[in-house]
Amino acid sequence: MSENLIEVKNLKQYFPVRAGFKTLQLKAVDDVSFTVGKGETLGLVGESGCGKTTVGRSILHLYEPTAGQVFFEGEEITKKNIAEMRKKMQIVFQDPYSSLNPRMTVEDIIGEPLDVHKLYSNKKERRERILDLMETVGLNAEHATRYAHEFSGGQRQRIGIARALAVNPKFIVCDEPVSALDVSIQAQVINMFEELQEKLGVAYLFIAHDLLVVRHISKRIAVMYLGKIVEIADADELSDHPEHPYTQSLLSAVPIPDPKIARERQRIVLEGDVPSPLHMPTGCPFRTRCKYATEQCAKECPTLKDKGNNHLVACWNR
Amino acid sequence: MSEYDVNKTPKKQVLSMQLDLSKFEKATEEEKKQQDVMSESTTFLKDGLRRLRKNRLAMASLIVLAIILVIIIVAPMVVPYSYDEILKVNGVRDKGAKNLAPFTYSVLEQEYIDAGNFRFPHIFGTDEQCRDYFIRVVYGTRVSLVVGFFASIIVLIIGLIYGSISGYAGGRTDLIMMRIVDMIYSLPDMLVIILLSVVLGSVLKFKGGSFLASIGANMISMFIVFGVLYWVGMARLIRAQILSIKENEYVLAAKSIGAKPGRIIRKHILPNCLSVIIISTALQIPSAIFTESYLSFVGLGVSAPMPSLGSLANAAREGLQSYPYKLVFPAVAICLVVLSLNLIGDGLRDAFDPKLSR
Ligand SMILES: Nc1ncnc2c1ncn2[C@@H]1O[C@H](COP(=O)(O)OP(=O)(O)O)[C@@H](O)[C@H]1O
Ligand SMILES: [Mg+2]
């Protein structure tokens, strides 16, 4: 196995939330640990609101983590070295509309990282680098002087990717980069992510709420539920032998192209709603919707245990 | 998962509605490029100006204001009288040119004209000190506009800096800074303006002949008053704008790139609230002119003999029954200036407000 590029250890991100006179803690991310190898992709899936975005942003210190550590090539990321680290780690946002400044031209958006880190010696070099980046992500160089609002969603996302690539990062957090796009465009953009990885050797934390998207691009997949990782395994292992009841239900919702197999398959429909992260159930967060739940599940929260094959599950019954 | 393959679709049955793919041709690269054509690039500014041009009221106001500006710039060059000089005919003081009606001449002047000389008409007549009233109104308008313009700029600068720091920093800093604003906001402004201009008027003494002396202590104190009092509204407005713009992901993106707060404010936040800033500054000018007129009217404005529209109106009160036109001219000038500036400000808001556009 390749060396770890990113190591996340017991990351916690709590947000203070005012509820009347009390201040409650919203545990958006609660004790999450994982690693991402050099040049590989870790998929992160889970329902909306389970804390995926928060994990990505906390790694980049866009939110100051409540507790836990993040290591980049063995070096801990702190307030002091974060400025340097921003050259090595980048993020692509979910919403291609609000993530680009409407008052800036494409050239200035992509050129901003170059400006901030002074990565060029003269205007010509800057321009060349920008055009180079635009070509890399499949944008027409003639559009460099246009404003972001003149582009379609897919093109805007490409601009966002070019901006992230400008500093030559080794690691990119892709926060649901395709979920705001039309299905027909999604495949193009995902393929581009793969090509870029082959060409540049970047590692991704690829966030999605759709297992199908993630399975296609990831080496390993982590499944999140209510701020916790409930299962991590290699992509094929996870889709063929899901262990955690939550993963099983997610997988059973993935559409199968063959109607014969699809008809035979049993869909596991989860009962009830996701509990509010402000009022987490005791013990295992999934127990309120789990049909295997026992008394032990209510008492203690299970931790990730290796089931062999690098397959980690957090469940008392597995 | 087997992928969908265009070339492997089943053959078309006779009655099926399935498309016959063999009848379709793949688009060439060139044809695909044609789909790429985008609409003409329009910048935010161009877009706004186009909308502004369509607004008749705003355009009419702009023309009125332009005419007023031309008059107050050109008139002092053309009219041979000065705002603080008693009229003279052939170097002799014309004591008879007192309170003349518009376009009339005094006895002395009439003789002068009858002798075959040219005498520039008194368009608005003369005042009780034998000065040409037109040129005094022109200078009064000048003073009012200058006060309005500079006061707004002072308000803008202070409000902009204070508001953006407060909004961007957030948290406790924001809380404290905004409570200070609340305190200043709750002061009765007219009372403070009057007190400040009385105090400052006696404290500020300038050496004769200097530039500041020529503006007069009252005018300076007026700028200070505006600077001290009226920035709070601007600061609040800009803070609110920044709070909402800060939530956009492009601000977070700039942060993730490693941009410093100063750069984020300058490059990302301020350009996006520029429209609001321009509009409220434009609307600030008439309100400052109004306050200046008010202060001059109660005698706290610019110092004599420098006229201002407010002090002219005040002076006209005494002879109101005999010479009503002396009140009418400055009053109409105030109305025109304030109204046209207000309408232009409104037009700017309609044209540039991001909530209405897109
Ligand atoms: N800045 C914040 N302040 C308070 N709560 C937040 C903040 N960001 C996210 N949350 C909360 O944290 C939880 C996880 O959010 P998020 O990470 O955006 O989920 P996901 O990306 O998986 O949809 C949500 O309940 C959300 O309301
Ligand atoms: Mg999210």
Side-chain angles (χ1 to χ4, degrees):
Chain A
M1 216 184 132
S2 57
E3 206 184 317
N4 286 336
L5 181 70
I6 291 281
E7 187 173 359
V8 177
K9 266 191 188 166
N10 307 99
L11 186 70
K12 289 180 187 169
Q13 184 73 60
Y14 299 169
F15 293 114
V17 173
R18 292 275 278 277
F21 292 105
K22 282 184 297 182
T23 303
L24 295 176
Q25 279 200 323
L26 190 153
K27 300 185 175 180
V29 173
D30 198 9
D31 210 347
V32 160
S33 305
F34 59 83
T35 59
V36 183
K38 280 195 176 128
E40 68 174 51
T41 303
L42 174 73
L44 185 61
V45 286
E47 280 166 281
S48 187
C50 70
K52 306 180 298 291
T53 299
T54 311
V55 169
R57 292 183 181 175
S58 301
I59 291 176
L60 296 181
H61 277 234
L62 291 176
Y63 302 143
E64 195 56 38
T66 312
Q69 296 151 301
V70 181
F71 297 90
F72 183 92
E73 290 183 325
E75 190 186 346
E76 187 178 351
I77 302 172
T78 59
K79 261 189 185 166
K80 272 188 201 136
N81 64 12
I82 186 65
E84 265 314 294
M85 288 294 178
R86 297 228 184 277
K87 273 196 248 178
K88 302 172 184 167
M89 306 187 299
Q90 275 300 314
I91 181 165
V92 173
F93 290 89
Q94 174 173 2
D95 182 358
Y97 292 89
S98 88
S99 61
L100 303 177
N101 187 340
R103 300 274 180 274
M104 279 167 102
T105 59
V106 173
E107 191 174 355
D108 286 336
I109 290 173
I110 300 177
E112 182 162 36
L114 306 174
D115 297 340
V116 168
H117 297 291
K118 311 213 165 44
L119 295 179
Y120 54 87
S121 46
N122 54 39
K123 279 251 149 37
K124 190 165 160 267
E125 208 178 306
R126 176 178 187 266
R127 178 140 182 104
E128 270 166 17
R129 177 91 181 104
I130 290 168
L131 294 183
D132 199 33
L133 282 163
M134 288 182 73
E135 202 192 311
T136 311
V137 297
L139 284 169
N140 192 338
E142 288 159 28
H143 295 161
T145 52
R146 299 202 168 227
Y147 287 82
H149 67 78
E150 300 173 52
F151 292 85
S152 68
Q155 286 173 313
R156 285 170 148 255
Q157 202 56 293
R158 285 170 197 264
I159 299 171
I161 295 165
R163 170 176 61 191
L165 289 175
V167 290
N168 275 326
K170 290 185 181 167
F171 175 65
I172 300 181
V173 173
C174 309
D175 185 2
E176 303 200 30
V178 297
S179 38
L181 306 181
D182 291 348
V183 180
S184 56
I185 312 282
Q186 284 189 356
Q188 286 178 16
V189 174
I190 290 176
N191 287 340
M192 190 179 72
F193 272 112
E194 283 191 309
E195 280 163 24
L196 289 174
Q197 185 162 54
E198 270 169 38
K199 213 163 94 185
L200 308 169
V202 279
Y204 298 133
L205 174 66
F206 201 95
I207 301 172
H209 61 249
D210 182 354
L211 248 177
L212 206 61
V213 167
V214 167
R215 193 163 64 186
H216 183 69
I217 193 172
S218 310
K219 179 168 180 289
R220 280 169 76 72
I221 296 179
V223 180
M224 258 187 106
Y225 185 80
L226 269 186
K228 285 194 164 66
I229 291 185
V230 295
E231 185 164 7
I232 307 186
D234 287 347
D236 295 332
E237 166 79 13
L238 189 98
S239 24
D240 297 341
H241 309 288
E243 291 277 346
H244 198 279
Y246 180 62
T247 316
Q248 287 171 353
S249 76
L250 277 186
L251 271 171
S252 81
V254 171
I256 298 174
D258 188 334
K260 273 197 198 118
I261 303 177
R263 237 172 276 138
E264 278 159 24
R265 181 179 65 166
Q266 274 219 311
R267 278 205 65 175
I268 308 168
V269 180
L270 289 178
E271 312 235 323
D273 289 324
V274 189
S276 154
L278 278 174
H279 306 283
M280 293 267 243
T282 57
C284 173
F286 187 59
R287 72 176 168 84
T288 52
R289 298 167 83 191
C290 179
K291 58 181 175 182
Y292 309 107
T294 61
E295 259 174 52
Q296 190 187 14
C297 298
K299 277 191 202 125
E300 264 183 290
C301 184
T303 49
L304 283 172
K305 290 217 176 61
D306 199 341
K307 301 283 155 185
N309 245 348
N310 248 325
H311 190 149
L312 286 78
V313 187
C315 182
W316 291 122
N317 304 314
R318 301 286 140 174
Chain B
M1 228 195 329
S2 67
E3 267 184 43
Y4 173 77
D5 188 346
V6 178
N7 305 318
K8 279 191 194 151
T9 41
K11 249 185 121 183
K12 181 177 160 23
Q13 303 294 310
V14 185
L15 285 175
S16 101
M17 302 275 278
Q18 187 185 334
L19 292 174
D20 188 357
L21 286 175
S22 61
K23 287 192 177 150
F24 289 80
E25 211 178 310
K26 265 201 163 177
T28 62
E29 281 305 310
E30 206 176 313
E31 282 167 323
K32 279 184 193 166
K33 272 252 168 72
Q34 288 177 351
Q35 296 288 311
D36 245 23
V37 180
M38 299 166 83
S39 65
E40 189 51 41
S41 172
T42 62
T43 65
F44 165 70
L45 197 69
K46 268 194 222 158
D47 230 30
L49 286 180
R50 204 196 60 225
R51 266 194 297 269
L52 186 64
R53 261 195 297 270
K54 277 196 192 142
N55 187 336
R56 293 229 185 111
L57 215 53
M59 289 320 283
S61 308
L62 210 60
I63 292 169
V64 169
L65 195 69
I67 292 173
I68 292 175
L69 281 178
V70 168
I71 290 175
I72 63 173
I73 290 167
V74 173
M77 301 175 196
V78 175
V79 180
Y81 312 119
S82 138
Y83 69 90
D84 57 352
E85 248 179 359
I86 293 171
L87 291 172
K88 285 178 189 160
V89 179
N90 268 340
V92 181
R93 284 197 172 175
D94 181 7
K95 296 247 169 62
K98 201 173 175 182
N99 290 327
L100 290 176
F103 289 107
T104 55
Y105 295 103
S106 67
V107 181
L108 224 68
E109 280 172 335
Q110 199 58 53
E111 284 168 7
Y112 182 69
I113 293 167
D114 291 343
N117 297 311
F118 172 72
R119 183 76 177 164
F120 201 87
H122 304 298
I123 301 170
F124 289 174
T126 57
D127 69 357
E128 74 289 341
Q129 287 181 41
C130 311
R131 294 175 294 200
D132 185 75
Y133 203 52
F134 174 67
I135 203 74
R136 283 187 68 75
V137 172
V138 163
Y139 267 90
T141 317
R142 252 190 183 190
V143 167
S144 291
L145 275 173
V146 166
V147 169
F149 193 72
F150 279 102
S152 306
I153 293 207
I154 292 171
V155 164
L156 173 68
I157 293 171
I158 301 178
L160 191 66
I161 295 171
Y162 196 94
S164 34
I165 291 174
S166 175
Y168 189 78
R172 189 158 307 189
T173 321
D174 181 39
L175 196 78
I176 293 169
M177 287 177 89
M178 278 302 120
R179 290 303 81 74
I180 293 172
V181 163
D182 288 345
M183 278 184 326
I184 296 176
Y185 209 78
S186 63
L187 297 174
D189 46 355
M190 273 309 162
L191 188 69
V192 177
I193 289 176
I194 291 169
L195 282 177
L196 267 177
S197 37
V198 169
V199 173
L200 287 172
S202 62
V203 170
L204 293 172
K205 290 271 186 294
F206 300 106
K207 272 189 234 113
S210 75
F211 171 68
L212 287 175
S214 75
I215 310 178
N218 273 350
M219 190 97 113
I220 306 279
S221 74
M222 204 130 60
F223 287 148
I224 295 176
V225 163
F226 278 113
V228 168
L229 271 185
Y230 283 155
W231 61 270
V232 286
M234 183 67 86
R236 273 186 172 177
L237 192 88
I238 287 169
R239 169 185 170 269
Q241 277 289 311
I242 285 180
L243 279 186
S244 74
I245 289 169
K246 213 171 71 167
E247 292 306 309
N248 279 310
E249 269 180 355
Y250 56 79
V251 173
L252 208 61
K255 209 171 146 192
S256 77
I257 282 165
K260 303 239 156 46
R263 185 188 170 90
I264 295 179
I265 291 183
R266 266 185 301 115
K267 291 262 173 180
H268 296 276
I269 296 180
L270 288 186
N272 281 289
C273 51
L274 197 63
S275 49
V276 174
I277 294 172
I278 293 174
I279 293 157
S280 48
T281 308
L283 289 174
Q284 188 79 47
I285 298 175
S287 113
I289 290 177
F290 204 75
T291 312
E292 184 275 332
S293 302
Y294 168 87
L295 281 178
S296 298
F297 188 79
V298 295
L300 293 167
V302 294
S303 34
M306 178 69 90
S308 113
L309 292 178
S311 59
L312 287 176
N314 186 30
R317 262 186 329 150
E318 279 144 36
L320 187 58
Q321 296 197 328
S322 331
Y323 318 109
Y325 60 89
K326 286 212 282 180
L327 181 61
V328 169
F329 292 129
V332 166
I334 293 177
C335 287
L336 279 180
V337 167
V338 172
L339 189 68
S340 60
L341 279 170
N342 265 322
L343 288 174
I344 292 169
D346 275 349
L348 281 175
R349 182 176 52 214
D350 291 346
F352 287 99
D353 198 315
K355 264 159 255 150
L356 291 175
S357 69
R358 201 165 292 282

